[in-house]
Amino acid sequence: DDLGEADQALTGAVRIGAPEGFGSYVLAPLLGRLADRHPQLQIQLVAISGVLSLSKREADIAVTLSAPREGRMVARKLTDYGLSLYAAPSYLEARPPIRTRADMADHRFIGYIGDLLYAPELDYMQAPDVDIHVTLQSSNLIAQLQAAIAGAGLCVLPDFIAAREPGLVRVLPDDVHLDRSLWLVTHADLKSLARIRVVSDMIVQAVKADRAMFTGG
């Protein structure tokens, strides 16, 4: 029937919501390839510090830090990923050496603004054994990254982002490491649409192809 045919046509808009780091570093480079393969598609990438609502149709596909607990959602785990502590050589050279976790107490940290955290998975500035001072705060990961590259302080960053930045070095790699996950979520009503399937599959394939970047293995 005509309606079914229209549903399967690779035309129209697909809006993807994603954390700003994953959106900027993983999804944005994919957009050209998607456009070359499917020139009739309009791809909208919303890479923000926050969460878009699939149930309210603010996005068609979402990359999230946890699986949805409610609503008619279909979720698949994209990948686990690691986070480590990073700094610019210029910062490290001008400050006391960091040989143990206890040494972190004397250093300036860059991190999220506590009351603007949009997901509990981002609340990782907890070090029970060290008094950490997060004196430079931003709700945006890319801003934190750029501050770290400029030598402003120590910053916990996803390895898949920091590894691409030659201006950063890992600090205490054996003592400071976190693991988180990324999920690909679509609304149950949309998952069978061809344009949703095509975009979802390309995201999954891109992450698979770059698996070592995310997991370090």
Side-chain angles (χ1 to χ4, degrees):
D1 65 271
D2 290 342
L3 185 60
E5 286 293 317
D7 279 352
Q8 296 311 312
L10 285 172
T11 61
V14 178
R15 183 178 293 179
I16 312 162
E20 69 270 28
F22 184 85
S24 300
Y25 277 77
V26 180
L27 296 185
L30 280 184
L31 297 183
R33 205 183 320 161
L34 258 174
D36 288 343
R37 276 191 206 170
H38 308 289
Q40 300 303 311
L41 277 184
Q42 182 188 44
I43 306 296
Q44 301 175 351
L45 172 58
V46 185
I48 58 166
S49 319
V51 179
L52 294 179
S53 169
L54 293 179
S55 57
K56 293 178 185 169
R57 302 300 165 90
E58 292 175 348
D60 303 308
I61 299 169
V63 177
T64 64
L65 296 169
S66 59
R69 295 179 182 86
E70 55 190 34
R72 299 186 59 247
M73 305 299 162
V74 179
R76 64 193 290 186
K77 191 180 196 180
L78 265 180
T79 185
D80 295 319
Y81 68 98
L83 300 103
S84 303
L85 189 62
Y86 291 90
S90 61
Y91 173 84
L92 295 172
E93 287 160 10
R95 301 275 172 154
I98 309 173
R99 298 190 182 93
T100 67
R101 284 176 61 90
D103 294 334
M104 296 191 300
D106 299 324
H107 284 263
R108 187 167 63 205
F109 276 79
I110 305 158
Y112 284 98
I113 302 169
D115 60 354
L116 293 181
L117 286 175
Y118 63 88
E121 291 80 12
L122 296 176
D123 188 15
Y124 41 61
M125 279 300 179
Q126 308 296 325
D129 55 329
V130 192
D131 185 18
I132 282 177
H133 304 285
V134 188
T135 50
L136 302 176
Q137 303 177 356
S138 173
S139 61
N140 185 285
L141 181 74
I142 305 299
Q144 294 177 33
L145 171 72
Q146 292 300 328
I149 291 169
L154 301 172
C155 191
V156 174
L157 293 164
D159 295 329
F160 71 86
I161 293 175
R164 302 167 198 245
E165 295 292 349
L168 291 174
V169 295
R170 197 177 292 192
V171 179
L172 296 179
D174 296 328
D175 298 319
V176 181
H177 188 77
L178 298 162
D179 292 295
R180 294 292 186 267
S181 303
L182 289 166
W183 296 76
L184 187 70
V185 187
T186 53
H187 196 282
D189 293 346
L190 300 179
K191 76 179 179 74
S192 60
L193 296 183
R195 66 180 184 272
I196 303 298
R197 272 207 322 273
V198 160
V199 175
S200 297
D201 288 348
M202 186 170 271
I203 294 171
V204 169
Q205 290 308 315
V207 170
K208 269 188 184 161
D210 225 355
R211 179 75 72 204
M213 183 74 81
F214 291 96
T215 60

